[in-house]
Amino acid sequence: MPNNFSWRPGSALPSIENHSRRKLDVLRDYLNVYFDTVVTNPRQDCLNITLVDGFSGGGAYQGSGSIEHGSPLVLLNAVEQARERINRNRKKPLDIKARFVFVDDNINHVEALRERLFQEGFGALVGTEISLIHGRFSAELPKILKLIRANQRVGRSIFLLDQFGYKDVPMSSINSIFSELERPEVLLTFAIDSFLNYLQDNSASLDLYRQFGIDQQFITEWQANKSDEALGRLITQRALMNNIQSGGGANFFTPFMLWSPTDNRWMMFAHMAQHQAARDKMLGVHWAAQNSFKHIGKGSMFSLGFDTRLIETKDSLFDFTEHDRTKLRDELLEEIPREVSSFMVNGYLPVEMFLERVGNRTAATNSDLFSAIKELSIAREIEIRSKSGAFKRVGSQVGKNDLIYLPLQRTLFSLK
Ligand SMILES: C[S@@+](CC[C@H](N)C(=O)[O-])C[C@H]1O[C@@H](n2cnc3c(N)ncnc32)[C@H](O)[C@@H]1O
């Protein structure tokens, strides 16, 4: 294990690297959006949630000049701040009943985390709201799932699985999370480039690789693509992401790519969920943070990425994002009618179904998609009707419950 992930009670803290800091920023931003949007009913007065940090580490890092929080403290603080923020403007107070489960297989890390929790004022919760577990995540998971199922009706939970490489979160673990709980979300770190670099001819016969859908054909294609360092790697990363998504059993998968200068390779930080609304929230975080996007081919799935080299070379990430957004809008205007036509049944497609169908393949948020749909309806490329089938006024707001129709006579003008 590299020194930047090594803790001991009473000893100096490891220093934090930029890409780890970025990952924690994404986690923090996502949790803020999550709590702000998860309770939509003003009459709801209680939210039960379990936050599992399966690879918790020791809780803190030495930043330049100040101490920076590791993932367990990011989780704890996010809940504490959400309680305060959400209740500020509420008539009926919302009680967030959060349970935290922190697992690490290194006893020094568990004890360093215990010490840190006391130092940060969370000591009284250890043993009640906070469970500190010394063990391997995959071995502890069945007990954790049982605990969630016993205490929560819908099993609302967030699993942060910040493993060091790619071997410690088996696909079967992700699968059991998605099959045994109704509302889980998983944030998974996966050393995608190390994984590809270690692939060998005989890997297809090893369970470690087979669980990720690696077969002889995958390896042959990777070997053929590999000399094209940029595109070949992207295509293979994408194929692997598809396998992780389908093998893990999540409907929605949002990859965020982090460049690690120390290891000289890409790491993936993926968000997995069953509901398109959750993916939309995560996409919103990436746009707001102006994380860079890389995509293969027009209209295909995008991969979200942050590359610290862009900061070091002082290239601007931010123009990139705006440029991307304009390009994305043009692509959406061109592709939405085609998408609608391929998925519609009986001449129409519900907006909600459209979001589910394109969700995984676009970096557009729902608000981008709604604007594009509206623009297309103004141009009479598509028609929007309400749930009852009544025509909606051209240019009115598009909602999830609306229906998209393709006019029989599509306009001859194409939008650009
Ligand atoms: C990348 S670090 C986690 C950093 C932490 N999430 C943070 O943000 O500060 C990975 C941690 O996982 C622990 N670990 C390694 N293998 C594990 C396993 N199979 N189960 C649980 N913890 C494990 C290591 O001891 C290490 O503390």
Side-chain angles (χ1 to χ4, degrees):
M1 175 122 343
N3 287 337
N4 46 356
F5 295 116
S6 176
W7 291 268
R8 226 169 236 288
S11 296
L13 294 171
S15 56
I16 185 162
E17 287 192 86
N18 230 344
H19 66 281
S20 299
R21 187 181 282 125
R22 280 308 276 135
K23 182 164 53 185
L24 290 166
D25 284 346
V26 169
L27 172 67
R28 195 178 287 113
D29 291 348
Y30 183 67
L31 291 169
N32 289 343
V33 182
Y34 181 92
F35 284 112
D36 286 349
T37 49
V38 79
V39 181
T40 45
N41 182 351
R43 286 195 301 267
Q44 184 176 339
D45 58 4
C46 182
L47 175 72
N48 274 309
I49 184 163
T50 302
L51 296 111
V52 180
D53 190 337
F55 299 78
S56 64
Y61 297 89
Q62 186 57 55
S64 47
S66 63
I67 288 177
E68 295 188 28
H69 289 159
S71 52
L73 282 153
V74 170
L75 298 175
L76 284 160
N77 285 321
V79 171
E80 205 162 73
Q81 286 159 14
R83 281 189 181 117
E84 194 275 319
R85 198 174 55 244
I86 293 170
N87 284 316
R88 225 181 281 154
N89 300 318
R90 262 188 157 239
K91 285 206 183 86
K92 188 164 195 172
L94 178 75
D95 183 12
I96 302 182
K97 287 203 167 83
R99 184 189 311 272
F100 300 87
V101 182
F102 300 147
V103 185
D104 202 290
D105 75 343
N106 182 320
I107 190 66
N108 286 323
H109 297 182
V110 176
E111 291 313 318
L113 176 57
R114 189 189 305 278
E115 185 178 85
R116 177 62 43 192
L117 292 173
F118 276 86
Q119 282 163 350
E120 300 276 340
F122 292 104
L125 303 184
V126 176
T128 54
E129 278 99 337
I130 301 176
S131 307
L132 269 183
I133 301 176
H134 173 220
R136 278 174 44 242
F137 169 71
S138 55
E140 298 300 324
L141 181 63
K143 277 178 266 171
I144 299 172
L145 291 173
K146 209 166 157 193
L147 175 90
I148 297 175
R149 283 203 316 268
N151 291 289
Q152 294 169 233
R153 198 173 41 82
V154 290
R156 187 178 287 289
S157 47
I158 294 182
F159 286 77
L160 173 66
L161 306 181
D162 188 21
Q163 63 183 334
F164 181 64
Y166 55 83
K167 295 182 182 157
D168 297 317
V169 182
M171 286 312 286
S172 56
S173 293
I174 298 183
N175 224 300
S176 55
I177 294 173
F178 283 107
S179 60
E180 291 186 32
L181 302 175
E182 218 176 289
R183 293 226 163 230
E185 294 186 26
V186 170
L187 288 150
L188 172 74
T189 303
F190 191 94
I192 196 158
D193 272 356
S194 310
F195 181 93
L196 294 179
N197 294 346
Y198 280 113
L199 277 187
Q200 308 203 334
D201 276 336
N202 69 347
S203 302
S205 63
L206 304 175
D207 285 346
L208 171 63
Y209 296 97
R210 286 162 66 95
Q211 65 175 331
F212 298 111
I214 304 302
D215 54 16
Q216 205 49 55
Q217 190 188 344
F218 188 103
I219 293 172
T220 310
E221 280 172 15
W222 164 231
Q223 280 164 348
N225 283 334
K226 175 166 166 181
S227 57
D228 182 349
E229 184 51 37
L231 195 62
R233 194 169 279 273
L234 272 180
I235 290 170
T236 320
Q237 284 175 347
R238 174 64 57 207
L240 182 56
M241 287 174 195
N242 285 343
N243 292 353
I244 296 176
Q245 180 197 350
S246 53
N251 291 334
F252 294 94
F253 185 93
T254 310
F256 175 54
M257 302 294 279
L258 295 144
W259 175 257
S260 159
T262 344
D263 306 327
N264 215 12
R265 56 185 63 147
W266 286 100
M267 302 283 294
M268 178 176 75
F269 188 47
H271 173 245
M272 301 168 88
Q274 293 304 52
H275 302 277
Q276 196 266 345
R279 173 184 162 84
D280 184 48
K281 280 183 224 155
M282 186 46 111
L283 277 176
V285 166
H286 291 311
W287 278 109
Q290 305 194 308
N291 291 324
S292 75
F293 287 72
K294 295 193 294 117
H295 70 96
I296 315 164
K298 195 168 141 209
S300 70
M301 257 178 78
F302 292 73
S303 111
L304 313 175
F306 171 78
D307 184 344
T308 47
R309 287 174 304 181
L310 286 171
I311 287 188
E312 282 149 21
T313 59
K314 303 272 180 285
D315 285 341
S316 169
L317 271 173
F318 314 108
D319 290 346
F320 196 137
T321 307
E322 275 320 304
H323 168 74
D324 243 9
R325 189 153 229 156
T326 314
K327 193 155 159 270
L328 187 71
R329 174 193 159 275
D330 290 345
E331 284 183 12
L332 289 175
L333 293 178
E334 212 170 290
E335 285 171 21
I336 287 176
R338 226 186 348 262
E339 294 286 341
V340 172
S341 123
S342 66
F343 293 124
M344 65 186 189
V345 179
N346 297 332
Y348 70 92
L349 181 68
V351 170
E352 192 157 24
M353 202 173 281
F354 166 76
L355 296 177
E356 280 175 17
R357 298 290 173 150
V358 301
N360 266 328
R361 293 181 293 121
T362 176
T365 61
N366 287 0
S367 123
D368 295 323
L369 293 168
F370 288 161
S371 317
I373 292 174
K374 186 169 149 185
E375 225 174 298
L376 285 164
S377 85
I378 293 173
R380 304 197 188 275
E381 288 275 317
I382 58 178
E383 277 169 13
I384 304 301
R385 299 193 199 173
S386 67
K387 208 173 165 183
S388 65
F391 281 98
K392 285 187 72 166
R393 203 165 38 82
V394 170
S396 57
Q397 285 309 329
V398 179
K400 272 193 180 175
N401 293 327
D402 291 338
L403 311 174
I404 311 174
Y405 282 74
L406 288 184
L408 288 178
Q409 294 270 304
R410 291 227 354 242
T411 167
L412 295 171
F413 304 107
S414 85
L415 271 166
K416 242 318 167 167

